[in-house]
Amino acid sequence: MKFWSNLFKKKIGSVDDILIYPDGKRYYRDAHPIRKNMIDEDAVKIIHRLHKFGYKAYIVGGGVRDLLLERKPKDFDVVTNATPNQIKKIFNNCRIIGRRFKIVHILFRGKVIEVSTFRSLPEHRFGKPVEDQDYLIKRDNKFGSPQEDAARRDFTINALYYDIRNDSIVDYVGGYEDIRNRQLRVIGDPEISFREDPVRMLRAVKFAVLLGLKIDRNTSKAIKKHANELEKASSSRMLEEYNKIFRTWKTSLIFQGMAQNHLLNILFKEAFDRERKKSQDFGDSFLETRIGKRLVVADKLLSEREELTPQIFYALIFSDLIQDALSKKDSHLVPALKSSLDGVFNRLGTPKKDKERLIRIFASQDRFYHTEDEKASQNNFFRKKDFFYDAFYVFKINAIADNNDQALQSAFFWEISVRKRPVLPSGKKEVRFRNKKEREGREPREHRGGESRGRKQDRDRKNRFSERDSENSQARNSNREDSGEEFIDSENGDYDKD
């Protein structure tokens, strides 16, 4: 059967067979909203300098896509026909990075502009697709033309070039129409594309959710067929993608999309195995599963400007795997937890420091039920642990998702106890205000008629601490707003930046 299937598959003769517009279709200013003043001024300077030295250069990828979708781009990437070594001769403030393929980072104060060289298509794109052949791209430093570079990218929406000279968009693959139609489509044969780079399947689901796009039927079909290829992807790239997803405020919806496209049969498969066996429509009902509910709560907390680390999300996903270890009262907890999670950690390539932190998070969950006031010193010691913050939010999110009243009361204690009025040292009398006037006034009744020098110094010191705490609070809120901004991946394709 495979023989006949391969026999009648179309053979690609040239790059023109992949491109919808081999000569490039240009959309000028009257057809789109992008203008040069919307582009980062340092990216514009880079392009002008490359033009000055006789090279072609365009804005490419996510920056163009996001502007067409009326979103704020995370960054702007440049593509050129200059090689990395030629770029380095033009710019002093740059470095060449990359193992899988070389790209150039041009450094400015507080930011980096990524410049890549047009790349050619892999040789296997010009032959008949073979079912069992390994198409995984391990090296990609062969340079080519703009047409070849567009044809080798992942999705049509990421393959548009913006020319700052005349505010035009150059489209070789039909990406402009796909953006207008809110469609996500792979360039070329999706079955070959996903076998070249399996991470593209995960990125397809992520883009569809974050950008409000519908995955093309052939693309979705190929994702479900080749989900197993994700086992060939490098663990470092997968962990990087997971961490990006956790910052989006839409982790629950992205995981639902992964479930609907059968990706969770491979990714975190141990964590979702029980849920998949319970429900035949696992994908559509994902948000009603225990893990789905936790992720919904986590997304809500992020939207409320809480700060959640990747370790919190991993703990929420793995929480069900350690229940047996937690229930065994006659065994040592930490070894039992390690035994429950070692297989998952090894398969995912989890870094050692993350493994240890997750074990501490899980081992401390029962500690949150101990809220006795007479153990204040022990509680304060627990709060100073470096994993306390992550462990507390895992406990709180599980309590909310499970609607566990006892756990919610305990979470409430740990959340407000840091704001309780401190206990005065023994032997000191607490100063109380006798009425509203004294409470809102300047002095308590006991100190009318004068204030000692020591009292004044204490009051001045307290005011200084209050001002400093206020500044720190404002800084934390500012950082939360920066980190909570909706993340839209604007990589210009799927470059490996290791």
Side-chain angles (χ1 to χ4, degrees), residues 64 121 259 339 396 496:
V64 182
L121 279 170
S339 177
K396 177 181 176 179
D496 185 356

Side-chain angles (χ1 to χ4, degrees), residues 164-180:
I164 66 171
R165 295 173 299 180
N166 53 15
D167 284 329
S168 66
I169 293 173
V170 185
D171 182 5
Y172 293 101
V173 294
Y176 181 83
E177 289 94 339
D178 284 342
I179 286 178
R180 293 191 65 179

Side-chain angles (χ1 to χ4, degrees), residues 8 41 56 68 103 257 266 340 359 474 494:
F8 290 104
E41 60 181 11
K56 296 178 180 179
L68 287 176
I103 56 178
I266 305 301
S340 300
I359 294 297
Q474 292 174 4
D494 36 16

Side-chain angles (χ1 to χ4, degrees), residues 8-26:
F8 290 104
K9 281 186 177 179
K10 181 181 178 182
K11 179 178 179 180
I12 304 296
S14 68
V15 68
D16 290 357
D17 294 332
I18 297 175
L19 303 176
I20 294 179
Y21 306 114
D23 296 325
K25 184 174 182 179
R26 282 192 181 261

Side-chain angles (χ1 to χ4, degrees), residues 425-439:
S426 59
K428 288 196 176 182
K429 182 181 178 181
E430 183 176 5
V431 176
R432 297 181 181 275
F433 292 101
R434 296 188 178 179
N435 53 46
K436 182 177 180 182
K437 183 176 180 181
E438 287 185 3
R439 202 161 51 241

Side-chain angles (χ1 to χ4, degrees), residues 106-125:
I106 299 183
L107 313 177
F108 295 89
R109 181 176 295 180
K111 66 182 169 187
V112 174
I113 304 293
E114 185 177 286
V115 183
S116 58
T117 306
F118 294 129
R119 280 174 169 74
S120 65
L121 279 170
E123 291 295 331
H124 60 250
R125 286 285 191 102

